């Protein structure tokens, strides 16, 4: 299937799914529509309905590809083994669920296609604005069909969105003491489907991620790298979806900003 044909099929599926599931339930959830999944994490009826619809549609687009959905993998961790398959769809049916559950943005859908553990295509969709970010390995990145190049904020002190939620106390203190003074710190959106576009668009310059689960990062990492930014492990090695349980990832709007953050992180260990 050609890139254009694949993009058309996937984008149509994402828009239809968002309309029939996410937007249908947005700001209309009842108590029974939201359940606790883990500490500080919930799942809604929209998550499950969206994943089911996306999985069904993606199976028709590329029948040879296996599917790893966030909610399915949460229920059966053995599904993680599919991430190293020859072809694998990776689904985050509702990224930013905690925001969505209280009736506020941002939230979105993240889809990626991986080949033997390496992301080859990614899509990031914002149902409220209609913004669709796409990327294909070795071919570039686009926003709403227009070729896109990552840009920096131009701020005197680079703008950093750093999540400390999953960082242990010692590392949190080291980040605040040795990293924070070099940057203007801003809140994270708690939504990778928003954070990666913010970096590419120059709203933020750099982010540090501790947890690097495939459905949260596969599409965004490819989008940044294909647009001229840089997203990789702090040691510079490539992010692979079949090694997504390893901690640590930097996303930056330019390679220079990535290198600066990586150098500073290396000094604090």
């Amino acid at each position: 299937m050609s890139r254009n044909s694949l993009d058309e099929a996937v984008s149509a599926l994402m828009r239809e799914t968002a309309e029939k599931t996410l937007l249908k339930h947005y700001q209309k959830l009842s108590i029974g529509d939201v359940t606790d999944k883990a500490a500080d994490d919930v799942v809604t009826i929209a998550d499950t309905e969206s994943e089911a619809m996306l999985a069904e549609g993606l199976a028709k687009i590329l029948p040879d590809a296996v599917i790893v959905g966030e909610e399915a993998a949460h229920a059966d961790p053995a599904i993680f083994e599919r991430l190293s398959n020859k072809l694998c769809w990776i689904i985050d049916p509702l990224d930013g669920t905690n925001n969505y559950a209280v009736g506020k943005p941002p939230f979105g859908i993240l889809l990626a296609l991986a080949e033997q553990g390496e992301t080859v295509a990614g899509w990031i969709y914002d149902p409220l604005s209609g913004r669709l970010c796409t990327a294909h390995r070795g071919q570039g990145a686009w926003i709403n069909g227009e070729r896109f190049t990552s840009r920096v904020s131009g701020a005197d002190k680079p703008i950093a969105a750093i999540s400390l939620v999953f960082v242990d106390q010692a590392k949190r203190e080291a980040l605040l003491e040795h990293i924070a003074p070099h940057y203007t710190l801003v809140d994270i959106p708690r939504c990778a489907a928003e954070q990666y576009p913010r970096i590419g668009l120059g709203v933020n310059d750099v982010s540090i991620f501790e947890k690097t689960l495939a459905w949260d990062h596969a599409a965004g990492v490819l989008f940044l790298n294909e647009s001229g930014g840089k997203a990789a492990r702090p040691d510079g090695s490539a992010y692979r979806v079949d090694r997504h349980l390893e901690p640590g990832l930097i996303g930056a709007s330019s390679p220079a900003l990535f290198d600066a953050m990586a150098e500073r992180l290396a000094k604090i260990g």
Side-chain angles (χ1 to χ4, degrees), residues 77-245:
I79 288 175
F80 286 140
E81 297 174 8
R82 300 176 185 174
L83 290 168
S84 57
N85 268 52
K86 184 176 180 181
L87 276 179
C88 176
W89 286 113
I90 302 165
I91 303 172
D92 190 335
L94 172 50
D95 186 56
T97 300
N98 285 309
N99 300 330
Y100 180 91
V102 296
K104 68 178 185 180
F107 60 88
I109 297 174
L110 291 161
L111 293 180
L113 181 64
E115 184 175 13
Q116 296 179 323
E118 182 179 354
T119 310
V120 296
W123 297 264
I124 306 171
Y125 183 56
D126 179 346
L128 294 179
S129 70
R131 181 186 64 204
L132 177 64
C133 304
T134 63
H136 291 262
R137 183 181 62 184
Q139 298 181 57
W142 295 261
I143 295 182
N144 293 339
E146 297 291 329
R147 192 68 176 250
F148 177 73
T149 300
S150 179
R151 53 184 180 265
V152 302
S153 70
D156 291 338
K157 292 175 68 174
I159 299 170
I162 301 175
S163 173
L164 301 176
V165 176
F166 302 108
V167 179
D168 63 45
Q169 184 63 30
K171 188 172 182 179
R172 183 181 296 115
E173 292 175 358
L175 285 169
L176 291 173
E177 181 178 355
H178 299 290
I179 304 297
H182 300 282
Y183 298 90
T184 298
L185 299 187
V186 296
D187 290 337
I188 61 166
R190 298 201 69 182
C191 175
E194 173 64 19
Q195 186 60 64
Y196 279 103
R198 283 187 185 184
I199 298 170
L201 289 163
V203 178
N204 298 162
D205 289 301
V206 62
S207 283
I208 301 173
F209 306 96
E210 188 71 7
K211 291 182 70 174
T212 66
L213 294 170
W215 42 78
D216 288 328
H217 297 282
V221 167
L222 185 67
F223 175 73
L224 270 187
N225 287 330
E226 288 296 325
S227 67
K230 184 172 181 179
R233 298 295 187 180
D235 65 1
S237 60
Y239 174 80
R240 292 181 56 87
V241 300
D242 54 359
R243 297 176 63 181
H244 74 141
L245 297 180

